[in-house]
Amino acid sequence: METKNSTADFLDRMYKNVKMGSDSIINLMPKVSDEALRSEMTKELHELEGYSSKIGKMLHEEGRTPKEEN
């Protein structure tokens, strides 16, 4: 049972960090005028959203609900 809790705790921390990265990009986007940079940021945001979705599913499999930091 220790391993399951360790895995869920690890996934929970990963989820929070990925969401923090997504939130940072979202907050910075309005301040960026360079189209090439905005394009890269958009690609990164889509990747992070994909990761958060996968991690969220894994958390559900562990019996947990993904939680975001306030």
Side-chain angles (χ1 to χ4, degrees):
M1 198 66 163
E2 181 71 32
T3 303
K4 186 168 183 161
N5 284 337
S6 297
T7 300
D9 290 342
F10 177 72
L11 290 170
D12 190 46
R13 286 192 302 273
M14 282 181 56
Y15 184 83
K16 288 176 184 175
N17 284 315
V18 168
K19 291 303 280 183
M20 188 177 1
S22 296
D23 291 344
S24 294
I25 291 173
I26 290 168
N27 288 332
L28 288 172
M29 285 286 251
K31 297 172 174 80
V32 176
S33 58
D34 182 85
E35 286 303 315
L37 181 55
R38 285 180 65 85
S39 176
E40 287 301 315
M41 290 171 74
T42 301
K43 287 179 194 175
E44 185 68 24
L45 180 60
H46 288 299
E47 267 189 58
L48 290 172
E49 288 172 345
Y51 291 140
S52 69
S53 177
K54 288 178 186 176
I55 296 168
K57 288 176 186 174
M58 293 170 77
L59 275 167
H60 282 292
E61 290 171 5
E62 293 291 325
R64 293 228 185 142
T65 302
K67 298 176 194 154
E68 296 182 33
E69 292 290 317
N70 291 334

